[in-house]
Amino acid sequence: GELGDAEGRAEALVQAAAHREAKAGCLGWQPWLMCGSAQGGPLAEEAVQPRLTELFHTSDAAVEAVAGDERIKQLEKEVQAQQALLEAERQRARLPMGAACQYLSSSWSGWVPAVVTAFDLGSQTYDLDVRRGAKLDNIAPSAKAAQDAAWPVGAFVSYLSDSAGGTALPAVIQGFNEGEGGADGTYDLDIKRGAACEKIRPRLP
């Protein structure tokens, strides 16, 4: 790698300088001292030290580059893990396939029974068996749903609060109360117990 090459070049330069000074009769080569060359001229410190310094700095830079690359890779893994966790949370907050609902149809001039078939990430809409790309405002839970087809605990919804003038308040489903004897079922929300189905809309996490 770059670090090994730099160290190898430094070692070769040291050996070459030592060989040159041995030929000149120096008693002990030290790259930081002045000594005579084969032609009798000085072998100055500044002739060797700058190159060694450059090589050692190259080695440090190589180490830092490798450490930086490893840190970036580690951060990328951490980000990917966080994104996977966030997507898993979003999936739990969405309506699952098979959830019973009702769709407000303009062509039928009212609510019609429907079932969730998919969620479109691109358009952020639900596909129903009666309508693809249904808007959230036109979807509500089915008041006649069985327990196994109810909207799940933890799903994000909006609650149309009468006390707040019909404002859609963010809420989370905490439970479903299945209707008995033909009665409509209701939902327990974190902000309202026994909420009527027609007052509930799906909400994106």
Side-chain angles (χ1 to χ4, degrees):
E2 291 181 302
L3 179 57
D5 292 342
E7 291 176 342
R9 291 195 299 272
E11 180 64 25
L13 184 57
V14 170
Q15 292 177 359
H19 179 68
R20 180 176 178 179
E21 289 207 65
K23 290 177 63 178
C26 290
L27 295 177
W29 183 79
Q30 300 180 48
W32 319 131
L33 302 177
M34 299 282 290
C35 59
S37 69
Q39 290 77 24
L43 178 62
E45 174 185 345
E46 58 268 19
V48 178
Q49 186 174 7
R51 181 55 179 158
L52 286 176
T53 301
E54 177 186 352
L55 291 174
F56 288 133
H57 285 174
T58 300
S59 300
D60 291 341
V63 171
E64 292 176 359
V66 171
D69 288 343
E70 290 299 321
R71 180 57 179 158
I72 289 173
K73 291 178 182 178
Q74 181 61 32
L75 288 173
E76 288 175 345
K77 289 180 181 179
E78 292 176 4
V79 169
Q80 291 172 355
Q82 288 295 324
Q83 289 176 336
L85 288 174
L86 286 173
E87 181 55 30
E89 289 295 327
R90 292 190 186 102
Q91 289 180 358
R92 282 193 288 271
R94 297 184 192 124
L95 301 180
M97 291 179 58
C101 58
Q102 47 187 335
Y103 173 69
L104 184 58
S105 171
S106 57
S107 58
W108 287 86
S109 301
W111 294 95
V112 295
V115 175
V116 174
T117 59
F119 179 76
D120 189 332
L121 283 173
S123 63
Q124 296 286 287
T125 59
Y126 285 97
D127 289 341
L128 310 178
D129 58 346
V130 299
R131 173 75 179 185
R132 290 178 59 85
K135 295 181 179 179
L136 304 185
D137 289 343
N138 294 334
I139 302 173
S142 171
K144 304 299 183 183
Q147 192 72 44
D148 59 357
W151 291 15
V153 172
F156 282 25
V157 297
S158 297
Y159 175 66
L160 306 178
S161 172
D162 291 335
S163 60
T167 301
L169 303 178
V172 177
I173 291 177
Q174 293 186 335
F176 174 62
N177 309 302
E178 186 175 351
E180 298 180 357
D184 290 346
T186 61
Y187 281 85
D188 290 336
L189 310 179
D190 60 341
I191 62 172
K192 173 73 174 181
R193 292 183 60 82
C197 291
E198 64 268 18
K199 297 289 186 179
I200 299 172
R201 302 290 184 273
R203 177 169 61 93
L204 297 178

